[in-house]
Amino acid sequence: MSESIAVGSGKGGVGKTSVVAGVSTCLAAMGYRVLAVDADIGLRNLDIVLGLSDMTALDFGDVLRGNATLERAVVYNNTTENLCLLNAPFSLEESYDAGFGKMIESAKELFDYCIIDCAAGLGRSLRMATSAADRVLIVTTLDKTSLRDSALAVELAVNLGAPKVEMIVNRVRPRITAKAKSPNVDDAIDIVRAQLIGVVPEDDRVIISANREIPIITQASDGAALVYYNIARRIIGQQVPLMKIK
Ligand SMILES: Nc1ncnc2c1ncn2[C@@H]1O[C@H](COP(=O)(O)OP(=O)(O)OP(=O)(O)O)[C@@H](O)[C@H]1O
Ligand SMILES: [Mg+2]
C-alpha cells in the first residue's frame, strides 16, 4: 500500500529538504517508486538538492489549476529511474490548496511513497501537506529555539488528525551535547513529545553534496547518508536500532 509522508518543522533551515532528498533517494535505491513533492510554495529548492533543477517549467500549481496532468508535471530522473520530483509553484492562490490532498491520492496510485517537503512553520504548507499525509515527520535540531517550535508543529499535526507523527533530530554534534552545552536527544523527546525515527549527525557532506547537486547517498555510506538509509528502512517497517553518533 502506498504511503504519503509530510516532512515539516517549526523553525526554518533545520534540514527538511535535506532529509526529503536523502530519504527519497534511499527509498528509490531500495526499488520503491518515489515521488518527492516540493510544497515550499515560492521558495522551492528540492530540485537543486535532488540534482533535478531546470528540467521542467511545470509544477503542482499547474496540476491543481487543471493545466497539466500529474504525469506531465512530474520530473523524471535519468540516474535513478524510480525517483520523480514534483516542483512547487512560485505562487498559488490559496483556493487551490483544497485540491492538494486529492492530487496526492492520485499520485499514490502511481508511486509507493510520496514524500512532501514543507515550508517551515505552522502555516499553509504544513497544513496542506498534513491533510494529505499518512505520516508526518517533524525535523528539529537540538537548539532550544527549534525544539519549542517543533513541539508546536507536532501539536498542530496531531490536531489536524495526522495518523502518525514522528520526529527526526538533525545536525547533532555530540561534542556540544555531551558537555550539557545544549539539550540532548532525550530532552528533545521530552520537549517535542513525538516518537523518534532518526538522529542525523552534523555532516559537511550534506552541504557539499547539495551544492554539487548530487544526492549524498551516491557519495557516502556513513554519517548522515547512513541515517537517511536507516530512516528509509524504518519507513518501510523494518526494525532498525538507532545509531550511536560519535
Ligand atoms: N545533517 C546535516 N549536517 C550538516 N549540514 C546540514 C545537515 N542537514 C542540513 N544541513 C544544511 O543546513 C542547511 C539547511 O538545510 P535544508 O535546506 O535542508 O533545511 P530546510 O529545513 O529545508 O530549510 P527551509 O526551512 O528554508 O526550507 C543547508 O545548508 C543544508 O546543507
Ligand atoms: Mg526546505
Side-chain angles (χ1 to χ4, degrees), residues 128-155:
M128 189 176 75
T130 298
S131 69
D134 302 308
R135 182 172 204 157
V136 175
L137 306 182
I138 297 298
V139 181
T140 186
T141 64
L142 289 173
D143 296 320
K144 272 190 176 171
T145 49
S146 175
L147 291 171
R148 183 161 71 188
D149 292 357
S150 302
L152 294 171
V154 166
E155 197 180 303

Side-chain angles (χ1 to χ4, degrees), residues 165-185:
V165 183
E166 292 155 316
M167 159 174 73
I168 294 174
V169 179
N170 190 30
R171 305 197 76 161
V172 172
R173 281 159 290 179
R175 265 187 301 150
I176 298 179
T177 51
K179 294 179 185 155
K181 287 183 179 166
S182 91
N184 60 28
V185 173

Side-chain angles (χ1 to χ4, degrees), residues 98-208:
F100 188 83
K102 226 168 147 194
M103 180 189 75
I104 296 295
E105 276 312 307
S106 333
K108 281 164 70 178
E109 288 168 21
L110 305 171
F111 297 92
D112 300 308
Y113 290 97
C114 296
I115 309 197
I116 308 163
D117 182 20
C118 297
L122 312 182
R124 177 184 182 189
S125 178
L126 183 62
R127 289 166 192 271
M128 189 176 75
T130 298
S131 69
D134 302 308
R135 182 172 204 157
V136 175
L137 306 182
I138 297 298
V139 181
T140 186
T141 64
L142 289 173
D143 296 320
K144 272 190 176 171
T145 49
S146 175
L147 291 171
R148 183 161 71 188
D149 292 357
S150 302
L152 294 171
V154 166
E155 197 180 303
L156 176 71
V158 170
N159 288 341
L160 289 172
K164 206 186 278 182
V165 183
E166 292 155 316
M167 159 174 73
I168 294 174
V169 179
N170 190 30
R171 305 197 76 161
V172 172
R173 281 159 290 179
R175 265 187 301 150
I176 298 179
T177 51
K179 294 179 185 155
K181 287 183 179 166
S182 91
N184 60 28
V185 173
D186 290 334
D187 299 324
I189 296 168
D190 288 345
I191 297 168
V192 179
R193 296 190 168 275
Q195 196 175 336
L196 194 60
I197 191 168
V199 180
V200 188
E202 174 75 22
D203 187 335
D204 289 351
R205 291 167 296 184
V206 176
I207 303 166
I208 296 166

